[in-house]
Structures are given as structure tokens and as C-alpha cells.
């Protein structure tokens, strides 16, 4: 089985994440890391590979030069090779454009299974996996908290707002995983050394035959017109429990007409 | 006037509570038109309900296995409705996973602009604009479609008002064979909307518990407070990871984003990823024994104390006020 896993670099959620009001893009000067959900996606891809001898895992990212760290980390975990879509002309892509570029890289390479995170922690659109299923003509099993591949059948549980669904489809499929799916393994020293020698192919917009008139922020379908930072919350009343805090809290809620 | 299509969701013939809001949003931008995918024989009743909620036209696709195929029938119906309507200026869907993903696929199919998780919608000189939140509400973003029809998923409780009732014109959609690869829904394990507690996404009050509760058994205290207040129950990721509650109750960066009138955090430290999901609540209350917990930085009213004494007292005081 040929498995592709999609990883994205994002600003570390522990840091102070910002959007530049002038460029209207995410500020990338702070700590940039592989999105935690994508480490889990890599883990799932590796578990499926281990259960299906003869499989190979290709890790794919679209992003600037720094995104190669996300590829290296995935290779160190055990992925076999990488694809890095990198081109300044693609900067500022929206979901329509990102999915078009990723689909253009995946389609000719004959993958059976594409594994992604359910939502990225920066954009949180959760749209790319569904868009890829649409563009590639694959079945979609998205927002999965469990997933199994048996023969050419993929099945598992989709987490919903009020419970879960059991899904089943035939390969080829796009799978997106939620954070409950698995704990990601840590790369060991051997893995880190081996990763240095694993091949990473780079692709630009013309390799993917993406028309110049359709690429990059200047040609995006959705445009950001304005960005404003929310003012910080001002400090509230903090009391130490003297035995009556529960009653005082109820009074606060009643005065604020919240109960 | 241009038409605004809305995907109406329903469970077994009962419209989802968000349908009225979607039609109200559509009515602010153009003629509200509903699209519904349902089992054969159930379209007419749903169409008249949708008319009462403001739909001037209802596109009905009756599909035999509508409940057992994931999303693709809805995408096909929306695509057919866009083609049949002619003049469409926007498509609005709810923010459930199914609707969001149907919207994403539809955008690809009709070459539209996908705008997810909008918290506001409007129209100005430059066309239709949506308001979205980034980084858990730390930034507010307005966006518009430069190319194609905007396909917008709208977060619940974002729009005020209602659309005037209409006698809906019913148009039957014959979908024919859809070329999409399908995913079978082999079983559904979902709570019906008849559940006693309000849903996390739409509740006026949310009470969330964290690792401070200590066990699944003791987490019941959070549920008791929620029930006293008529609130929804949420949790931190640490509480979910510890198995106190299900993952779909997680509030935060990688869980649900809530912006209720009142958010009460019980035994939650307030890590940046948790705050990203609740800091836009109107009023925030925190109960935590550690005065240095970052949750107090965003609290309007904070109690430094043991939740196992404070919360029972609060429940009693709340119940006493009801009498
Ligand atoms: C990529 C990423 C995404 C994440 N997404 C989320 C997310 O969506 N949601 C989320 O919540 N977290 C998320 N986290 C995790 C987050 O960083 C924290 O680990 C988590 O929020 C901590 O949960 P907690 O506050 O319940 O636990 P803790 O941090 O352990 O806090 C427990 C609190 O309970 C208090 N306490 C203990 N006993 C009592 C008592 N008897 N009375 C009163 N107070 C008491 C303690 O003082 C402490 O402050 C994410 C992390 C990462 C890296
Ligand atoms: N630029 C990208 N490069 C690689 N994968 C991506 C990219 N953007 C999104 N994805 C994948 O799609 C998932 C969902 O992202 P999103 O739809 O942006 O919330 C991520 O977890 C990734 O697996």
C-alpha cells in the first residue's frame, strides 16, 4: 500500500501567536513546529504500514523552507521519503489553493491512502481533507478517532458533535484523524540519523502545472480584508475562600443577572 | 434579488435547531432558499416546516439511502440546486462537521470560495463579507470572496432575528448517479436533540471541569452544577485524556470553541490552549485552589479555594434562589 501523510508546520500553540495586520498573514517569526495532530497522523500511517508489509509512507508538506523540519521529524519517526511543495508563488494560499496544490502532487503518484490531521491549530478550517477527497475522487473517512485497514476496506469511528458514527469505505481513501487516535512515537537516535539520508523531493508551482493566475494570495478565492486584535480582558475580582465563597459567587451571578 | 442557498440538516425528519438561524442569515443577504436531502416520502413535510422558517423555495432531494452515505448526497444536492437556481450569491451551511465538510467539497465542485466557522455575516459595497475568529478569538478577521460564490459555514448563535414565514415553492431535485466515491455510515451512535442538557456549541452557560476533579466519579459535581444552572458541560483536555468525559466535550484549541454568556471553569489551570476555546465568553468565572493559575488572568470572578467545598455551596445557593 502506498500511504501519503500530510503534515503542516504551525506556530507553537504555547507561544504568543499573532496575525500581522498589514500583511494579514500569520506571523512566522516565533517558534514554528510540526502540528501535534500531524505527528499523530504520521503515527497512524506508520501503524498501518507496519500492519501491511510492503507498504511505504511518504510525508508531504506545503510550506516555506522551515517546513522541511516537519518532514525531517516525520522521517525520523519512520516515514520513508518526503515531498516538499515549496514556492514563494504559493504563499498566502487559501484552502481552495492549498488543496489544489496538494492534490496535484498526490494524484500522479498513485497513493492508496492519504492520512491528514482533522484540523490544523493555526487555520482550524478542517477543510483540506474533504477538499482533497473531492479533488482526488477518493472516499473520505474524516475526523476519525479509530481507523483500521482490512484488505481494501477502511473503517473506523468518526467523532461528531453529539456522539460518533461508524464508517466504512473502499480504498483509495482520505483519512483525517482526531487527537484521541494514538500517541505519537518519539524519534530515536537511529531514526534521526536515518532520516538524514532519506530522499525528499521538492516541487514548485510549475512542476505541479498550477496556472500562475490561480496561485498565491493575490489570486486566492477567499481574501482577508481586515484583521483586528481583541483587547486583553481586564482583571476581575478574585476572592479567597473564607467559607462563604460559593454563596458570594452565587450573589455575583445574580447581580450580573446570569442566574 | 439574488438567492442564498442554505443546507437544512435534520435527523429522521426533525429539522436541526440551527435551520431557522441559517435562513435568517440568508434572508439578510438575499432570497432564502433551503436545500434538503431526505428519505423518500418525507420531503413535503420538511419543506413546509422550512417555509415557516422563511424559505421562499425549498429544493428537495429524496434519496433512498440518505442516512447511510456520508456527506456526498448533500454535496450533490447543493450542486444541483446551485445549477437550478441560476442567480446564487452565497451558500450558507451550519457548523456541524457534516455541514462544514459538505461546504468544503461543494466549494471545490462549484469553484467557490470556502469560508469556514463564520461568526458574523454581512453585505457591503464590496459584496458579502464574513467575520471569523483566529487563534481562539485573539484576532477578529473579516474576509470576502474574490472569486466564485462564497460557501460559508456559520457558527451557531451568530445571527439575531428570524426570516419572515413564507409559503415555500417546492422544487424536486433528481440527483441521478453521483460519480463520487462514497463512504458508508454503517451505524450511528449519537444523542438525539431530546437530550436534557443544552449542547456545548449553543448553550448560554457552560460549566467545564478539569483535572482538578480527580476522577470520573467526582466529575459528577460539574454535571450537578451544570444542571442547577441549566448549562452545558465541557471539559479540559486533561479531563478528557483522563477519561472523565468524552472527547466531544473538550473545550479549547483542539476541541470546541464556545462563547457563552457565562463560562465557569472548575479545577482547570487555564493553559493557553484551553483559553483559546473560551476566552470570548462574556463572563468568565474560575474556581481553582492555586492562586497562580493562569485561568485567573481571564476571570471576571475568581475563587481561590477547594472546588469540593465551593461548588456544593454554590449549587445550594443557586437552588435556594430558584425557590
Ligand atoms: C497542541 C495542543 C492542543 C491542546 N488543546 C487543548 C484543548 O483543546 N483544550 C484544553 O483544555 N487543553 C488543550 N491542551 C492541553 C493544555 O496545554 C493543558 O494541558 C490542559 O488544558 C490542562 O488541563 P487542566 O487545566 O484540566 O489540568 P491541569 O493543568 O493539571 O490543571 C488542573 C487544575 O486544577 C486545580 N485543582 C486541583 N485540585 C483542586 C481542588 N480540589 N480545588 C480546586 N482546584 C483544584 C489545580 O490547581 C490546577 O490548576 C492542548 C495542548 C497542546 C500542546
Ligand atoms: N500546507 C499544508 N501542507 C500539508 N498538509 C496540510 C497543509 N494544510 C493542511 N494540511 C493537512 O490538512 C489537515 C487539516 O488542515 P486544515 O484543513 O487547514 O485545518 C492538516 O492537519 C494537514 O494534515
Amino acid at each position: 500500500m502506498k500511504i501519503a501523510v500530510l503534515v503542516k508546520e504551525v506556530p507553537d500553540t504555547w507561544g504568543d501567536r499573532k496575525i500581522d495586520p498589514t500583511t494579514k498573514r500569520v506571523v512566522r517569526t516565533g517558534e514554528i513546529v510540526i502540528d501535534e495532530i500531524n505527528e499523530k497522523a504520521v503515527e497512524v500511517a506508520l501503524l498501518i504500514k507496519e500492519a501491511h508489509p510492503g507498504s511505504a509512507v511518504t510525508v508531504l508538506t506545503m510550506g516555506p523552507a522551515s517546513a522541511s523540519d516537519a518532514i525531517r521529524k516525520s522521517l525520523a519517526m519512520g516515514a520513508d521519503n518526503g515531498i516538499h511543495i515549496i514556492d514563494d508563488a504559493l504563499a498566502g494560499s487559501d484552502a481552495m489553493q492549498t488543496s489544489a496544490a496538494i492534490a496535484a502532487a498526490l494524484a500522479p503518484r498513485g497513493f492508496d491512502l492519504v492520512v491528514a490531521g482533522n484540523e490544523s491549530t493555526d487555520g482550524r478550517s478542517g477543510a483540506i481533507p474533504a477538499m482533497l477527497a473531492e479533488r482526488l475522487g477518493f472516499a473520505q473517512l474524516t475526523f476519525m478517532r479509530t481507523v483500521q485497514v482490512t484488505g481494501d476496506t477502511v473503517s473506523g469511528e468518526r467523532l461528531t458533535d453529539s456522539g460518533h458514527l461508524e464508517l466504512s469505505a473502499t480504498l483509495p481513501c482520505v483519512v483525517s484523524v482526531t487527537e484521541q487516535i494514538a500517541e505519537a512515537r518519539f524519534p530515536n537516535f537511529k531514526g534521526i540519523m536515518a532520516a538524514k539520508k532519506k530522499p525528499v523531493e521538492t516541487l514548485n508551482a510549475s512542476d505541479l502545472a498550477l496556472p500562475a493566475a490561480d496561485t498565491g494570495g493575490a489570486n486566492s478565492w477567499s481574501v482577508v480584508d481586515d484583521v483586528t486584535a481583541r483587547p486583553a480582558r481586564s482583571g476581575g475580582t478574585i476572592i479567597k475562600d473564607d467559607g462563604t465563597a460559593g454563596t458570594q459567587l452565587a450573589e455575583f451571578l445574580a447581580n450580573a443577572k446570569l442566574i | 434579488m439574488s438567492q442564498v442557498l442554505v443546507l437544512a440538516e435534520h435527523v429522521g425528519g426533525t429539522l436541526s435547531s440551527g435551520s431557522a438561524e441559517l435562513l435568517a442569515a440568508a434572508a439578510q443577504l438575499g432570497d432564502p432558499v433551503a436545500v434538503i436531502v431526505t428519505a423518500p416520502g418525507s420531503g413535503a413535510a420538511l419543506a413546509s416546516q422550512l417555509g415557516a422558517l422563511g424559505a421562499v423555495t425549498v429544493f428537495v432531494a429524496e434519496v433512498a439511502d440518505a442516512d447511510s452515505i456520508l456527506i456526498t448526497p448533500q454535496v450533490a444536492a447543493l450542486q444541483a440546486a446551485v445549477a437550478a437556481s441560476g442567480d446564487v450569491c452565497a451558500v450558507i451551511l451550519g457548523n456541524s462537521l457534516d455541514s462544514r465538510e459538505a461546504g468544503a467539497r461543494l466549494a471545490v465542485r462549484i469553484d467557490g470560495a470556502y469560508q469556514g466557522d463564520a461568526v458574523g455575516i454581512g453585505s457591503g459595497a464590496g459584496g458579502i463579507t464574513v467575520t471569523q475568529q483566529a487563534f481562539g478569538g485573539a484576532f477578529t478577521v473579516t474576509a470576502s470572496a474574490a472569486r466564485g460564490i462564497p460557501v460559508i459555514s456559520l457558527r451557531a448563535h451568530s445571527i439575531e432575528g428570524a426570516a419572515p414565514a413564507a409559503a415555500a415553492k417546492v422544487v424536486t431535485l433528481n440527483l441521478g448517479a453521483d460519480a463520487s466515491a462514497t463512504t458508508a455510515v454503517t451505524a450511528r451512535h449519537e444523542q438525539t436533540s431530546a437530550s436534557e442538557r443544552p449542547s456545548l456549541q449553543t448553550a448560554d452557560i457552560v460549566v467545564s471541569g478539569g483535572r482538578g476533579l480527580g476522577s470520573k466519579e467526582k466529575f459528577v459535581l460539574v454535571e450537578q452544577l451544570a444542571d442547577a444552572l441549566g448549562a452545558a458541560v465541557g471539559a479540559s483536555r486533561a479531563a478528557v485524556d483522563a477519561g472523565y468525559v468524552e472527547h466531544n466535550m473538550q473545550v479549547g484549541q483542539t476541541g470546541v470553541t464556545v462563547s457563552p454568556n457565562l463560562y465557569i471553569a472548575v479545577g482547570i489551570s487555564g493553559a493557553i490552549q484551553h483559553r483559546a476555546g473560551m476566552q470570548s465568553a462574556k463572563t468568565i468565572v474560575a474556581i481553582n485552589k492555586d492562586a497562580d493559575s493562569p485561568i485567573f488572568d481571564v476571570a471576571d470572578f475568581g475563587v481561590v479555594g477547594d472546588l469540593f467545598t465551593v461548588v456544593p455551596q454554590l449549587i445550594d445557593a443557586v437552588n435556594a434562589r430558584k425557590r
Side-chain angles (χ1 to χ4, degrees):
Chain A
M1 194 168 15
K2 278 187 80 177
I3 306 168
V5 54
L6 309 183
V7 305
K8 186 181 182 190
E9 59 155 27
V10 295
D12 192 348
T13 58
W14 288 107
D16 186 16
R17 299 178 300 165
K18 287 202 176 74
I19 300 177
D20 184 325
T22 322
T23 63
K24 303 186 179 78
R25 293 191 189 153
V26 172
V27 176
R28 299 188 151 273
T29 48
E31 186 77 8
I32 302 284
V33 297
I34 179 172
D35 207 345
E36 186 194 69
I37 194 64
N38 293 144
E39 294 181 21
K40 297 190 178 209
V42 172
E43 178 67 33
V44 169
L46 294 174
L47 290 173
I48 293 172
K49 171 185 158 168
E50 285 156 11
H52 296 82
S55 300
V57 173
T58 300
V59 51
L60 181 147
T61 198
M62 165 165 153
S66 52
S68 60
D69 289 353
I71 294 188
R72 283 296 157 205
K73 179 146 193 197
S74 310
L75 295 174
M77 284 173 69
D80 299 289
N81 61 307
I83 297 176
H84 188 169
I85 304 173
I86 175 169
D87 193 329
D88 289 344
L90 299 174
S93 292
D94 67 4
M96 284 289 283
Q97 294 167 310
T98 300
S99 64
I102 293 175
L106 293 174
R109 289 174 172 75
F111 290 105
D112 305 293
L113 184 66
V114 177
V115 186
N118 61 335
E119 273 181 1
S120 56
T121 49
D122 57 353
R124 283 209 75 175
S125 72
I128 300 294
M131 286 184 169
L132 287 173
E134 181 67 33
R135 291 191 189 277
L136 296 167
F138 285 18
Q140 80 172 78
L141 292 94
T142 43
F143 287 79
M144 304 301 281
R145 66 175 186 187
T146 63
V147 62
Q148 309 87 38
V149 182
T150 315
D152 63 356
T153 301
V154 184
S155 60
E157 293 175 2
R158 167 177 172 91
L159 189 79
T160 69
D161 303 318
S162 60
H164 71 273
L165 305 180
E166 291 175 36
L167 302 184
S168 170
T170 308
L171 290 172
C173 293
V174 174
V175 166
S176 85
V177 300
T178 60
E179 63 188 5
Q180 304 281 287
I181 194 118
E183 277 314 314
R185 66 192 68 183
F186 287 104
N188 57 23
F189 180 72
K190 205 170 133 233
I192 293 167
M193 294 316 288
K196 297 194 166 132
K197 296 195 210 80
K198 291 178 177 171
V200 178
E201 184 183 1
T202 57
L203 297 172
N204 62 24
S206 71
D207 296 328
L208 298 172
L210 299 170
D214 290 345
T215 55
N219 301 305
S220 61
W221 274 248
S222 183
V223 289
V224 174
D225 301 313
D226 192 37
V227 177
T228 45
R230 204 191 43 155
R233 292 186 85 100
S234 48
T237 311
I238 311 293
I239 62 166
K240 205 170 168 340
D241 185 22
D242 59 358
T244 66
T247 316
Q248 289 186 57
L249 177 47
E251 248 159 60
F252 166 81
L253 296 176
N255 290 339
K257 305 228 175 328
L258 290 163
I259 55 171
Chain B
M1 222 184 346
S2 226
Q3 305 179 61
V4 181
L5 301 192
V6 159
L7 178 66
E9 281 189 275
H10 68 100
V11 180
T14 306
L15 286 176
S16 82
S17 57
S19 312
E21 185 181 7
L22 295 179
L23 288 165
Q28 293 179 10
L29 305 176
D31 284 335
V33 172
V35 178
I36 189 142
V37 177
T38 185
S42 57
L46 282 165
S48 70
Q49 287 179 52
L50 287 163
L53 297 176
V56 296
T57 305
V58 180
F59 285 101
V60 177
E62 294 193 335
V63 179
D65 40 10
D67 275 348
S68 53
I69 301 176
L70 188 73
I71 296 170
T72 43
Q74 283 76 13
V75 180
L78 285 164
Q79 179 187 22
V82 169
S85 303
D87 180 20
V88 175
C89 65
V91 179
I92 307 180
L93 308 94
N95 210 29
S96 69
L97 282 191
D98 284 6
S99 283
R100 282 161 57 181
E101 294 198 313
R105 294 188 71 136
L106 178 72
V108 169
R109 237 181 246 194
I110 64 172
D111 204 25
Y114 179 71
Q115 299 175 317
D117 201 18
V119 294
I121 210 161
S123 67
I128 293 170
T129 59
V130 299
T131 309
Q132 295 160 306
Q133 294 184 336
F135 297 148
F139 293 85
T140 300
V141 172
T142 54
S144 54
R147 307 172 69 169
I149 298 172
V151 179
I152 301 161
S153 89
L154 187 67
R155 200 187 284 181
H157 282 207
S158 296
I159 300 283
E160 309 255 321
K169 184 177 109 191
V170 178
V171 182
T172 304
L173 292 174
N174 291 311
L175 296 185
D178 182 11
S180 306
T182 54
T183 300
V185 178
T186 52
R188 291 183 180 268
H189 308 269
E190 291 185 295
Q191 253 172 24
T192 55
S193 50
S195 137
E196 332 71 62
R197 285 199 193 105
S199 84
L200 201 47
Q201 283 84 353
T202 58
D204 245 14
I205 304 180
V206 174
V207 181
S208 289
R211 181 148 44 197
L213 270 301
S215 71
K216 190 182 168 115
E217 292 68 41
K218 292 187 193 153
F219 197 89
V220 171
L221 191 56
V222 170
E223 290 160 9
Q224 288 167 348
L225 177 57
D227 291 341
L229 295 166
V233 175
S236 71
R237 181 159 97 172
V240 170
D241 285 349
Y244 304 169
V245 290
E246 285 293 317
H247 179 67
N248 39 23
M249 293 164 80
Q250 180 173 317
V251 170
Q253 176 69 63
T254 48
V256 180
T257 304
V258 298
S259 35
N261 272 325
L262 173 62
Y263 186 87
I264 305 184
V266 180
I268 291 178
S269 62
I272 195 163
Q273 298 91 351
H274 186 77
R275 283 184 276 143
M278 44 65 75
Q279 63 192 356
S280 58
K282 287 215 181 65
T283 301
I284 296 173
V285 167
I287 303 166
N288 194 307
K289 67 179 180 191
D290 175 5
D292 295 328
S293 293
I295 193 73
F296 289 123
D297 299 344
V298 295
D300 299 287
F301 194 94
V303 175
V304 181
D306 187 341
L307 70 92
F308 295 107
T309 58
V310 177
V311 174
Q313 191 180 73
L314 173 61
I315 293 172
D316 286 345
V318 168
N319 287 335
R321 277 170 193 274
K322 284 193 206 154
R323 283 184 212 119

